[in-house]
Amino acid sequence: MKKSGILIGAMGWLLWWPAVAQDTLTIREGAEITHQAELVVYELEDLLNVITNTDIGSKMTQDLIRNSYSSSKNQIFYDEKVIIESDDDPDATLKNFKDAEVPKYLNTLDLYYEKSSEPSVSLTSVKTSPVKKSDYYYVRTYFERNFENKHKQKNKGYATVPRVADVRVDNVDGKWQARIIGISFFGPEEDLNTPENNVELIAGDDDVLGKSVASLERNRSVDADMIKQEIANLFAEEMRKLKEVGSAEETEKKNEYEEAIKMGDQAYAEKRYQAAKDAYEAAIVIYPYKYHPKVRLNEIARLTERSNQYEDFVRKAKHARSIRKYEDAITFYQKALELQPDQRKLNDEIMAISSTIREVSLPKNEMMAGDYDAAMKSCNKLIRTHSDHPERFPELFLMRGICYAKEDKTKQALKDFTDAISYDPQYLDAYRERGQLYAKSGELAQAVADYDVIVSFLPDDPRYLSERANLKRRMGSVDGAIDDYQKVIALAPSSQVYYEKAMLHYQQEAYRKALASLENAIHLDAHDGKMYFQRGLTQVRLQNYNEAQQDFTLALEKGLGTEEQKAIRQESEQLYREGLAALDQKAYDTALEILRNAAVLDPTNVTVWFKLGEVYELQRRYEDAIGAYTQIIEQEETNWMAWYKRGVSQLKLRSYDRAVNDLLRVRQLQVHYFPALVGLGDVYAAQRDFGKAIDEYEKAIATIRDRQKKDKIDDYQSRLADIYVRIGDAKIELADYKEAMEKFEEATKLDKKAGAPLFYRGKVYYITGDYDKALKDLSEAITLKYDNPEVRFVRALTYQANNDYPNAIKDLGVVMESSDTAEYPEAFMYRAMVYRRKTNNLQDALHDLETFQHRVVTPGPLFHTTLGLVQLDLNNPENAKSQFARARAAADNYGPAWLGEACLVAREAKTDEALALCEKAFNAGQVTVPMIDEAESTYLADLKKSKKYRKLRRAYEAKLKK
């Protein structure tokens, strides 16, 4: 211990008197705190010398570093977060340094400081500040740091640097405990003796001269300087006593330490390493950071390891000799001699083994060369030569047995293997050869029995455990095989062993266990396609189809055989068949789920995507249907049926431009496929380009007629009838009712059982005001099974126009209850019309119109006209006028909108203006007789008395009939 430093620190207090007293301690307590603050700096010095010693191993160094800030007897830092202004760089200065936490600081020093076998670090000129207090007591301890060696990386020496350690001191179980809470550079302008946070020292009852100080404090006339001097004298006396006591205690500790070192050194010299180790460890308990005992402990560890290595090599050599691994035995003996050259007896063992090698080398070499007859002859000769002691050469029987086995002489081979075992019951190679021959002969139980013996001798050899596992698997002992593979994994985990174990779990249908093993296998070898393939199959069994698809994709990327690729398709096709079965049961949701999984497993299976698209269409999930058909197109760009089906789905979604593109592509790929022409016509009709629609329909008819001539068959009648109906419907939209009726008549001739022509003909009768004929055709269409919401709506409107409101409401009810309502959003608009005309239930009418508006992208002119009339009924003329204007904007010169405006001005008694608007309505067309009748029954009641109006109506009705 460096007593001079402690004395200097004590003398620093002789001139101190607290300017601001923030707390009080007795003089003895202050001296004890100061003393501990000094001691912890010297412990730091010892620690730095141990870390920078060449003879201290890396593990011990790391333990010392960790212990320096952890809860242990060796702790000197408060915790690992303590910040040190790092001085391990020779260029670090007061103005140029980096902060580091304790572990980083000490590890950097360990890494970059040039180490030596002698101490190279000294902390000198130790001085302390007065005891201070914030949330705890602390002392600032000054020292000068000296690094004698260089920085390894910079090859540069260190200057002496003034430093200061902030030392926190706590009372723990009645003893003062010092811990460093920070180390920093100490600047020339800094002063240890500043008064801030200083603690006032007072005399305690048991202090030296305590009564004198007490009397001085009671006598107010005594000069303060005398009290100050008395306190300083008392503090100096306490420090002296601590040093004397500390010196005595230190002398006792030093004697104990030196005695322990002496005992350790003596035992070390006598190679009594355990006794030496015990003595040095006792010394470390006394002085944790002294480097000599640590160096010796490191050396003892190395020597002990060397001795253990020697014993291990000798043991391995004996074992190798016992199992006839002669070359290995010699190698191990030679390694043992390298460690302890004085063990000459090992040379005798090597010579004896060499002699045996020479004896058996001839038949062994002949056998290795494949000359089994020659090898057997040599074995026979040697066996006769050593017939008096065959147990000395069991390998001759083993080699002869191997040769017999190579020549398929199983009986003789088994006998020789058994003889070899009888001469050496621990001859594991003989057990292995016999076990393999038993396995080849199908005697798996006997094979496993031989491997049981091998494993009993070598329980930690994964090779034999793995071979036994394979035998158990072959004989059907799956659980036993799994147990063996698990033991192999514990000893030497490999991708292949995990894979084999997984296959057994898969065989047992323990799919989650199989999955766990496969994941381990892939973790060890991420490049084997079969691993991913098998994991994919396992995911299929667990119904994790997305994960299975990902694994199959990876398997294909990494390389997969034809059979495995077929297996993936088979899994997909099996799910496809299950999906079809679910469809037969009309379990559409189940079918969809199964088919989706089939597509996930094999995204190249076009058949699955087609069926998925069709099911999506059945459920009116057209976006999903488009996705399915797109999958096909991306794989087979010329698959015209996929283009066609996608185009039809685009039409259903009112994506008209996309529908046209898809259907035009069909025409390029399959020019005679008339459904594509019909589809194009439907798209143009939906876009209200009825001229183009009719052109496509007529092209479709021409295509069918041409095919009829070529095929000479008459199976297209119903298709033709359907197209004529479409043309007729387009003619209705063009207000060409005469042409429309002709097309419906043609359709009826082609297919007398078709209800569609009757429906559309009835619709024309409704539009032209011939309600009785309309009802007859519409009802007959329903009888012929042509029954849908539109038919019911038109008949409902016809009933309403014919003043048969009960039947009208009944048909509307059928429509509104239909599952197809979503396909016919116009239903809400029609019901709103009935609400308005029959029941005057304007709020319900308004609600239905709002519902219709939310369900369509573009409501259309009829909607705006109807909403305008409802607003007019609600006495909102401005809103009504706005809606009529929007109707005319949606369809240029839209007749019903003009008629609505006529109602609006007629309501205001503007007869001439109303008459002019009616004329515009009749000229524009698209106004039905029921519309006119309804208007005349309300807002045009006075106008219909006008001769000019009646003339206009008669002319318009005549035009409709034409």
Side-chain angles (χ1 to χ4, degrees):
M1 181 176 292
K2 305 190 178 184
K3 298 180 180 180
S4 60
I6 298 174
L7 183 57
I8 291 171
M11 293 300 291
W13 272 40
L14 292 177
L15 300 177
W16 171 76
W17 182 255
V20 181
Q22 297 192 1
D23 205 339
T24 59
L25 286 170
T26 67
I27 294 170
R28 176 166 295 178
E29 288 172 332
E32 288 177 350
I33 289 172
T34 304
H35 186 58
Q36 293 299 322
E38 292 174 340
L39 290 179
V40 77
V41 169
Y42 293 117
E43 289 185 25
L44 174 63
E45 180 185 76
D46 287 341
L47 172 64
L48 297 179
N49 275 311
V50 172
I51 291 173
T52 58
N53 190 285
T54 53
D55 295 322
I56 302 300
S58 59
K59 182 181 183 305
M60 183 176 290
T61 298
Q62 290 304 309
D63 288 344
L64 288 168
I65 290 173
R66 187 166 46 253
N67 290 340
S68 72
Y69 57 76
S70 304
S71 296
S72 69
K73 293 180 180 180
N74 302 344
Q75 184 178 357
I76 61 176
F77 292 100
Y78 188 76
D79 58 29
E80 64 181 312
K81 300 296 182 182
V82 168
I83 298 298
I84 298 174
E85 291 180 1
S86 184
D87 61 346
D88 51 36
D89 186 334
D91 297 323
T93 65
L94 178 64
K95 297 181 179 180
N96 178 29
F97 63 85
K98 294 180 181 179
D99 286 342
E101 294 180 354
V102 175
K104 183 177 180 181
Y105 173 77
L106 295 177
N107 279 303
T108 303
L109 190 68
D110 175 45
L111 184 62
Y112 292 112
Y113 185 77
E114 189 178 81
K115 298 185 179 185
S116 58
S117 59
E118 295 298 325
S120 63
V121 179
S122 61
L123 308 181
T124 61
S125 303
V126 178
K127 296 184 286 189
T128 57
S129 73
V131 179
K132 298 175 180 292
K133 185 175 183 183
S134 55
D135 294 333
Y136 45 80
Y137 294 112
Y138 68 98
V139 176
R140 305 203 74 206
T141 306
Y142 170 90
F143 59 90
E144 293 177 4
R145 187 272 295 142
N146 300 289
F147 284 164
E148 296 178 7
N149 297 340
K150 295 180 180 180
H151 188 281
K152 286 195 292 189
Q153 195 174 51
K154 294 188 174 183
N155 193 29
K156 185 176 182 181
Y158 294 83
T160 299
V161 177
R163 306 273 278 170
V164 64
D166 291 313
V167 182
R168 172 175 174 165
V169 187
D170 297 296
N171 195 303
V172 179
D173 298 329
K175 292 184 178 181
W176 293 105
Q177 183 182 80
R179 297 284 187 263
I180 297 173
I181 58 175
I183 301 176
S184 57
F185 287 93
F186 191 80
E189 74 286 352
E190 291 188 73
D191 184 2
L192 283 179
N193 297 315
T194 58
E196 288 82 12
N197 299 328
N198 286 351
V199 177
E200 180 181 4
L201 297 185
I202 63 173
D205 291 340
D206 54 352
D207 279 328
V208 177
L209 302 179
K211 293 180 181 180
S212 173
V213 173
S215 64
L216 285 173
E217 290 178 334
R218 286 194 297 270
N219 187 348
R220 299 302 176 188
S221 64
V222 177
D223 187 84
D225 287 339
M226 293 179 65
I227 297 175
K228 172 183 173 183
Q229 185 59 47
E230 187 70 17
I231 293 291
N233 291 339
L234 286 171
F235 179 79
E237 182 62 21
E238 284 299 325
M239 289 298 292
R240 184 189 63 76
K241 288 173 59 179
L242 281 173
K243 292 181 185 303
E244 287 180 357
V245 173
S247 178
E249 290 178 353
E250 184 66 20
T251 299
E252 185 179 352
K253 283 176 63 176
K254 185 177 181 181
N255 290 337
E256 290 178 7
Y257 172 79
E258 290 178 350
E259 181 61 27
I261 292 297
K262 181 180 178 182
M263 291 174 61
D265 289 347
Q266 184 176 348
Y268 179 84
E270 295 172 357
K271 297 183 180 182
R272 293 183 292 108
Y273 296 124
Q274 185 58 50
K277 182 172 180 288
D278 293 342
Y280 290 136
E281 286 177 347
I284 287 174
V285 171
I286 300 168
Y287 287 131
Y289 294 114
K290 293 296 184 181
Y291 61 87
H292 177 73
K294 295 184 182 299
V295 170
R296 281 297 171 88
L297 283 172
N298 263 356
E299 185 62 27
I300 288 169
R302 283 195 291 270
L303 289 171
T304 302
E305 182 180 3
R306 193 177 182 89
S307 176
N308 290 339
Q309 285 179 337
Y310 170 82
E311 296 295 338
D312 187 52
F313 283 135
V314 170
R315 179 184 61 79
K316 288 179 178 178
K318 289 180 178 179
H319 174 71
R321 185 177 185 182
S322 71
I323 61 172
R324 305 306 189 274
K325 302 290 184 183
Y326 297 128
E327 290 83 358
D328 290 346
I330 290 174
T331 299
F332 287 133
Y333 278 133
Q334 287 172 339
K335 288 183 177 180
L337 277 170
E338 289 174 6
L339 292 170
Q340 295 190 21
D342 57 336
Q343 298 293 325
R344 297 176 182 174
K345 61 183 180 181
L346 299 186
N347 287 318
D348 296 336
E349 299 293 337
I350 292 172
M351 290 179 63
I353 295 170
S354 298
S355 175
T356 302
I357 291 174
R358 285 192 296 273
E359 287 271 12
V360 300
S361 62
L362 177 62
K364 181 179 180 181
N365 291 331
E366 291 169 337
M367 182 184 72
M368 296 298 291
D371 191 349
Y372 303 119
D373 287 337
M376 284 191 286
K377 288 178 181 178
S378 296
C379 287
N380 291 336
K381 182 178 179 181
L382 288 169
I383 288 170
R384 287 193 297 272
T385 301
H386 299 289
S387 59
D388 293 339
H389 41 82
E391 71 281 354
R392 288 177 53 189
F393 293 94
E395 57 265 49
L396 296 173
F397 295 92
L398 174 66
M399 287 189 287
R400 190 172 68 179
I402 292 172
C403 293
Y404 278 134
K406 292 293 184 180
E407 295 186 349
D408 293 326
K409 296 178 180 179
T410 303
K411 185 176 179 181
Q412 295 92 320
L414 287 173
K415 181 181 184 304
D416 270 350
F417 295 147
T418 301
D419 287 344
I421 291 168
S422 68
Y423 296 131
D424 183 357
Q426 298 184 23
Y427 201 174
L428 301 186
D429 284 346
Y431 282 108
R432 185 168 185 262
E433 293 293 339
R434 189 173 71 174
Q436 290 181 343
L437 189 55
Y438 276 138
K440 184 179 178 181
S441 304
E443 299 180 68
L444 296 173
Q446 290 91 328
V448 170
D450 276 347
Y451 271 89
D452 287 343
V453 175
I454 298 172
V455 171
S456 69
F457 283 104
L458 300 174
D460 296 333
D461 193 322
R463 177 180 53 168
Y464 299 117
L465 285 165
S466 186
E467 290 176 1
R468 186 174 71 174
N470 185 46
L471 291 171
K472 288 180 177 179
R473 178 184 59 79
R474 287 174 56 189
M475 68 184 291
S477 177
V478 176
D479 288 335
I482 289 173
D483 287 343
D484 274 351
Y485 281 133
Q486 191 58 48
K487 292 174 183 175
V488 175
I489 288 167
L491 294 166
S494 70
S495 176
Q496 186 61 33
V497 175
Y498 274 117
Y499 176 78
E500 297 293 347
K501 182 168 174 276
M503 295 298 289
L504 293 173
H505 285 310
Y506 188 89
Q507 181 181 332
Q508 290 182 317
E509 300 183 3
Y511 300 122
R512 295 201 178 279
K513 291 181 179 179
L515 183 62
S517 290
L518 287 165
E519 286 174 350
N520 285 322
I522 290 170
H523 177 73
L524 293 172
D525 180 3
H527 304 290
D528 193 339
K530 74 178 180 182
M531 305 288 183
Y532 293 99
F533 167 73
Q534 188 59 44
R535 189 170 71 176
L537 288 181
T538 306
Q539 297 284 21
V540 170
R541 299 296 172 261
L542 291 170
Q543 298 184 352
N544 298 331
Y545 297 106
N546 288 320
E547 291 82 353
Q549 190 271 331
Q550 292 171 11
D551 276 339
F552 289 150
T553 300
L554 287 169
L556 290 166
E557 288 176 0
K558 298 185 184 297
L560 204 59
T562 304
E563 291 303 315
E564 287 82 1
Q565 293 181 42
K566 286 181 181 178
I568 295 172
R569 175 57 65 92
Q570 288 168 0
E571 292 291 340
S572 175
E573 289 178 349
Q574 175 58 34
L575 287 173
Y576 175 70
R577 289 189 290 272
E578 293 174 11
L580 294 182
L583 282 176
D584 290 341
Q585 300 297 319
K586 300 191 183 307
Y588 296 113
D589 290 339
T590 301
L592 262 181
E593 183 180 358
I594 295 172
L595 290 170
R596 276 197 300 265
N597 292 331
V600 165
L601 284 188
D602 186 3
T604 66
N605 196 333
V606 170
T607 305
V608 174
W609 287 115
F610 261 121
K611 186 56 65 176
L612 260 177
E614 290 171 359
V615 178
Y616 282 134
E617 287 186 83
L618 283 174
Q619 294 197 325
R620 293 175 183 161
R621 294 170 57 176
Y622 298 115
E623 288 185 359
D624 290 328
I626 289 168
Y629 297 132
T630 300
Q631 287 284 345
I632 300 170
I633 291 168
E634 288 176 352
Q635 296 179 56
E636 300 178 0
E637 192 178 357
T638 59
N639 193 315
W640 55 270
M641 181 56 72
W643 286 100
Y644 170 70
K645 285 187 168 289
R646 190 173 77 170
V648 171
S649 294
Q650 301 280 19
L651 171 60
K652 296 290 186 181
L653 286 176
R654 296 190 171 96
S655 299
Y656 300 128
D657 291 341
R658 292 177 178 176
V660 169
N661 290 336
D662 282 354
L663 294 169
L664 286 175
R665 181 66 173 141
V666 179
R667 283 177 57 180
Q668 293 173 355
L669 296 170
Q670 193 72 10
V671 67
H672 298 299
Y673 190 62
F674 67 85
L677 299 170
V678 175
L680 277 169
D682 291 344
V683 176
Y684 293 135
Q687 292 178 307
R688 305 193 66 76
D689 191 343
F690 299 110
K692 273 190 174 181
I694 291 170
D695 287 345
E696 295 299 330
Y697 293 143
E698 288 177 344
K699 288 178 186 176
I701 289 173
T703 301
I704 292 174
R705 295 294 188 195
D706 185 57
R707 289 185 66 175
Q708 280 183 318
K709 290 177 184 178
K710 291 180 180 179
D711 299 344
K712 296 182 180 181
I713 55 174
D714 208 27
D715 289 345
Y716 298 107
Q717 301 301 90
S718 62
R719 294 292 188 94
L720 286 168
D722 177 66
I723 299 172
Y724 277 117
V725 167
R726 281 174 156 80
I727 295 174
D729 190 25
K731 294 290 185 181
I732 291 174
E733 295 294 339
L734 294 171
D736 189 350
Y737 302 119
K738 181 179 178 182
E739 284 283 338
M741 292 297 273
E742 290 175 1
K743 298 301 177 185
F744 298 142
E745 291 295 336
E746 183 69 25
T748 302
K749 290 177 185 177
L750 287 167
D751 190 353
K752 293 181 173 55
K753 294 181 180 181
L758 293 172
F759 161 66
Y760 284 100
R761 191 171 71 183
K763 187 176 180 180
V764 173
Y765 284 136
Y766 162 72
I767 292 170
T768 57
D770 197 339
Y771 303 132
D772 290 336
K773 286 184 178 179
L775 287 171
K776 180 177 180 299
D777 275 355
L778 292 168
S779 299
E780 188 174 346
I782 292 171
T783 302
L784 289 173
K785 308 297 183 186
Y786 191 78
D787 190 4
N788 58 50
E790 188 181 6
V791 177
R792 294 284 181 165
F793 264 116
V794 174
R795 193 171 74 167
L797 295 175
T798 307
Y799 278 133
Q800 187 268 344
N802 212 26
N803 297 319
D804 186 352
Y805 296 114
N807 276 323
I809 297 216
K810 183 178 178 182
D811 268 351
L812 284 171
V814 171
V815 174
M816 300 310 293
E817 291 173 4
S818 168
S819 62
D820 291 336
T821 304
E823 185 75 6
Y824 298 93
E826 294 83 358
F828 293 95
M829 185 166 65
Y830 292 147
R831 190 168 70 174
M833 293 176 182
V834 175
Y835 279 144
R836 175 178 172 269
R837 292 172 182 169
K838 173 65 178 76
T839 65
N840 201 33
N841 190 344
L842 298 178
Q843 291 302 323
D844 284 348
L846 196 61
H847 179 267
D848 272 357
L849 288 170
E850 289 173 351
T851 303
F852 169 75
Q853 187 176 16
H854 291 147
R855 293 197 176 194
V856 296
V857 177
T858 305
L862 181 58
F863 162 78
H864 292 296
T865 302
T866 305
L867 182 56
L869 291 170
V870 172
Q871 294 290 357
L872 193 60
D873 294 344
L874 290 169
N875 199 27
N876 296 322
E878 290 302 320
N879 289 343
K881 185 176 182 179
S882 172
Q883 290 300 324
F884 296 144
R886 293 182 70 178
R888 286 189 285 104
D892 187 37
N893 203 27
Y894 185 59
W898 291 119
L899 186 62
E901 290 203 32
C903 292
L904 176 65
V905 299
R907 179 175 176 272
E908 299 171 357
K910 296 178 181 179
T911 305
D912 291 341
E913 191 176 343
L915 189 61
L917 289 168
C918 284
E919 187 174 4
K920 282 187 177 182
F922 295 153
N923 288 337
Q926 297 176 305
V927 178
T928 64
V929 172
M931 289 180 184
I932 300 170
D933 291 343
E934 191 273 331
E936 289 179 357
S937 68
T938 53
Y939 299 108
L940 300 183
D942 292 335
L943 190 63
K944 72 179 181 179
K945 299 174 184 178
S946 165
K947 289 182 180 180
K948 186 176 180 179
Y949 171 79
R950 289 199 298 274
K951 184 179 178 181
L952 284 171
R953 173 166 178 167
R954 284 196 297 273
Y956 182 64
E957 287 182 339
K959 178 182 175 182
L960 288 177
K961 288 179 180 178
K962 289 180 183 179

